[in-house]
Amino acid sequence: MPKVWPWLILIACALGSAGGWVVQGWRLSGQHAQELAKRDRQALELAEAIKQAGIEANNAISAADARAWKGLEDDKKELGRLRGCVADRTCGVRLITKYVPTGGGASDSSPGSVGHDTIEIDPDVQRRVLDHREAIGEDAAKLEYLQAYAQQCWLTLHKPRQLERVWVPQAQSGP
């Protein structure tokens, strides 16, 4: 019987080690599953934050778009009114000039030495002036819209977020 004891002790140690190895594997497997679940939650939170930022950016851009279109429509209505007024000859575009004294010099203080006068412009030129005014208004509205769009894009990319560092999967070596 004495020759059996070393073998029994060896078998008992092997079974104890194998049992410990299995229990440790179960425990580590549970920890690994918890870590993966935590990382999944973080990834979902980040995806939700990105989605919300996109929604906010789209809302801000839509609001800027609505303001720009409303401004353009208001300008077009006003220009339409002015064009109708010019066509009816009830109003018009005038050129205001300032007379500079020619003979009296700086010491001439008479009230007639400096004055303003209004010169009426040809109707075709008046229409062109209104066309230029319309083009300038449209370009100004476009610039305002593009500035608001660029600002919103910048805020979307650079807005500080209070998120934890998110785990990024990397290639693992070994089993």
Side-chain angles (χ1 to χ4, degrees):
M1 281 277 212
K3 292 184 176 184
V4 175
W5 281 107
W7 286 104
L8 288 177
I9 292 174
L10 185 62
I11 291 172
C13 286
L15 287 175
S17 294
W21 184 60
V22 168
V23 168
Q24 184 70 359
W26 289 338
R27 188 179 69 79
L28 288 177
S29 177
Q31 286 178 344
H32 183 67
Q34 289 174 352
E35 183 66 25
L36 287 177
K38 178 182 173 186
R39 291 175 184 172
D40 287 345
R41 282 190 304 277
Q42 288 174 337
L44 288 174
E45 289 172 4
L46 180 63
E48 185 61 33
I50 290 170
K51 178 182 172 185
Q52 189 61 36
I55 290 171
E56 291 171 7
N58 285 338
N59 289 341
I61 290 169
S62 295
D65 192 36
R67 282 191 308 272
W69 278 111
K70 184 180 181 332
L72 283 174
E73 288 174 0
D74 292 346
D75 289 346
K76 285 192 183 281
K77 285 179 187 176
E78 176 63 17
L79 283 168
R81 186 190 69 75
L82 288 174
R83 286 173 202 246
C85 180
V86 166
D88 296 341
R89 296 195 181 268
T90 57
C91 68
V93 177
R94 309 253 190 282
L95 178 63
I96 298 175
T97 62
K98 181 176 182 179
Y99 288 117
V100 178
T102 56
S107 64
D108 187 9
S109 63
S110 65
S113 64
V114 177
H116 299 284
D117 196 12
T118 306
I119 300 172
E120 189 169 336
I121 301 174
D122 180 67
D124 187 45
V125 175
Q126 290 182 25
R127 283 190 294 276
R128 282 192 236 146
V129 167
L130 292 176
D131 290 343
H132 286 298
R133 178 179 171 178
E134 180 179 21
I136 290 170
E138 286 177 358
D139 289 344
K142 289 174 189 176
L143 285 172
E144 288 176 22
Y145 173 78
L146 291 173
Q147 286 173 340
Y149 178 80
Q151 181 181 19
Q152 187 56 45
C153 290
W154 188 88
L155 286 174
T156 300
L157 294 175
H158 296 92
K159 188 175 183 180
R161 301 255 183 234
Q162 299 296 329
L163 296 176
E164 294 180 24
R165 186 171 173 228
V166 177
W167 171 77
V168 177
Q170 298 176 353
Q172 296 178 356
S173 60

